[in-house]
Amino acid sequence: MSPLFRNKFKVLKNGEIFYPRIAEVISQARRHIEIENYIFEPGQVADWILLQIRERLQQGISVKLLTDRIGSHRTPRKTFRLIEEAGGDFKWYRPLSWRTPLWFNNRNHRNLIIVDDQIGFMGGAGISDRWLTGNRHLPRWRDTMLEVRGHLVPVLKNAFEDHWWEATHHHLFSAHSKSNPYSNSSLSQDNEAIIIKSGNSGQSTQNSGFIFRRLIQNARKCIFVTNPYFLPGDPMTSEIKKASESGVMIKVVTAGKHADHPFIRWAARSHYSELIDSGVEIYEYTPTMIHAKTMMIDD
């Protein structure tokens, strides 16, 4: 792992690497485990993770699991009752209801795992065999997870607490929620690593867009982007073009013929020409569905 302002990071590439590591860390939990994800599907990976969770619960360790109702619609409720019967807490994030029709497209796409407030995982992968074995039609998805230790772990916990409160109206009141100086995830001269939390208002989207545009504006040598849904808005497109025309090398890898949402690929392709004309190199990943979301600037 590489230190960055009292944090340590480890890049975990693809399910055959990150799932065993996640299971190992869960098996070593001593106090509590929080899991938040969009996709939790029955299969080998789910059975593996659930086994580790049940063993931890039998030892009296607190487990909280928050899963998006749309992303995990294939998973029967009884799967999670096994966790509840063993003493764990499970909640759907924004279950469908005629009372809240606007929730349908306002989903929770986070993939977070926090263990003992010491180790966190975040990235693009949920709990599903699509990231480990794939299926007869498609090899396992290409994705990246990040293992984190240090001051950013309480920020992940704080992000989890926000959505847990929304789903349950119960605060976890972790020790870090009030005292962690990095919980607001703001930029400062002292912060070399931040996490930009999403939220229920448009403010978080504006914040993340502002920060990404600033990063692009400050690039001097290169920008490497991996994003399966590469569909930047006009302000971001403008900054990317300016950076490329100023001499910054920009390469983008996005989903190709195996895209899980073809209509997004079609929409994205309509913007390729103006970016390519400005010097941006765009590549579509063809071996399988690429789901990683990363950006590297100036090495």
Side-chain angles (χ1 to χ4, degrees):
M1 292 189 181
S2 302
L4 183 59
F5 193 64
R6 300 173 69 181
N7 291 285
K8 294 182 179 180
F9 305 90
K10 186 174 183 179
V11 177
L12 306 174
K13 180 181 175 182
N14 294 328
E16 60 268 26
I17 301 297
F18 54 69
Y19 283 135
R21 178 56 182 158
I22 289 170
E24 177 186 14
V25 171
I26 289 176
S27 72
Q28 296 171 354
R30 294 295 176 264
R31 292 180 294 153
H32 43 77
I33 301 164
E34 291 84 33
I35 301 174
E36 178 179 4
N37 55 33
Y38 178 66
I39 295 176
F40 195 114
E41 292 179 337
Q44 177 183 342
V45 173
D47 290 345
W48 194 6
I49 299 299
L50 288 171
L51 175 62
Q52 297 296 335
I53 288 175
R54 286 196 292 269
E55 289 180 353
R56 296 299 93 195
L57 287 168
Q58 290 169 1
Q59 296 187 4
I61 292 169
S62 169
V63 176
K64 290 180 171 55
L65 173 60
L66 182 64
T67 298
D68 188 88
R69 188 65 183 92
I70 295 294
S72 302
H73 67 277
R74 298 178 183 175
T75 307
R77 184 66 174 81
K78 64 181 181 180
T79 299
F80 303 111
R81 289 198 185 99
L82 297 174
I83 295 177
E84 294 173 315
E85 290 170 358
D89 294 317
F90 166 78
K91 292 296 180 183
W92 288 119
Y93 182 80
R94 294 193 168 181
L96 297 181
S97 170
W98 63 269
R99 297 184 181 88
T100 54
L102 296 180
W103 280 6
F104 181 81
N105 198 40
N106 193 349
R107 311 314 310 170
N108 179 5
H109 282 266
R110 292 177 182 169
N111 293 294
L112 302 178
I113 299 175
I114 306 106
V115 177
D116 292 340
D117 291 340
Q118 300 297 315
I119 302 177
F121 296 91
M122 60 181 177
I127 306 298
S128 169
D129 288 355
R130 68 179 74 183
W131 281 280
L132 183 64
T133 60
N135 56 48
R136 61 180 180 176
H137 302 294
L138 188 66
R140 64 104 177 92
W141 285 16
R142 166 72 184 89
D143 217 326
T144 300
M145 295 289 285
L146 194 67
E147 180 180 340
V148 183
R149 297 171 184 256
H151 285 300
L152 288 186
V153 178
V155 182
L156 294 180
K157 179 68 170 285
N158 182 264
F160 174 85
E161 288 177 339
D162 286 347
H163 278 175
W164 186 258
W165 181 88
E166 182 185 345
T168 66
H169 296 292
H170 289 98
H171 285 290
L172 298 184
F173 295 113
S174 75
H176 299 291
S177 297
K178 304 298 182 182
S179 61
N180 174 37
Y182 309 101
S183 61
N184 291 328
S185 304
S186 58
L187 283 172
S188 73
Q189 291 181 343
D190 295 326
N191 277 1
E192 295 187 32
I194 66 168
I195 288 175
I196 308 163
K197 294 192 300 181
S198 61
N200 298 326
S201 70
Q203 185 62 43
S204 59
T205 302
Q206 294 174 13
N207 289 343
S208 60
F210 169 77
I211 291 173
F212 283 124
R213 289 195 299 273
R214 285 294 301 272
L215 290 170
I216 292 170
Q217 290 167 0
N218 291 328
R220 294 295 176 263
K221 296 187 298 181
C222 58
I223 302 172
F224 299 139
V225 176
T226 303
N227 193 311
Y229 316 116
F230 183 69
L231 193 59
D234 291 341
M236 189 73 73
T237 297
S238 176
E239 295 300 339
I240 293 172
K241 290 169 60 178
K242 287 179 184 177
S244 180
E245 290 166 353
S246 71
V248 176
M249 178 175 61
I250 302 178
K251 297 186 178 184
V252 177
V253 177
T254 189
K257 62 183 180 180
H258 296 299
D260 62 334
H261 296 296
F263 63 91
I264 295 181
R265 182 190 180 206
W266 299 333
R269 279 185 157 191
S270 67
H271 296 275
Y272 282 3
S273 59
E274 62 175 317
L275 291 170
I276 292 172
D277 288 344
S278 70
V280 177
E281 299 178 32
I282 301 177
Y283 302 88
E284 292 189 344
Y285 190 82
T286 58
T288 187
M289 168 60 186
I290 188 166
H291 197 253
K293 305 168 186 73
T294 63
M295 181 166 68
M296 185 176 72
I297 297 177
D298 292 346
D299 301 330

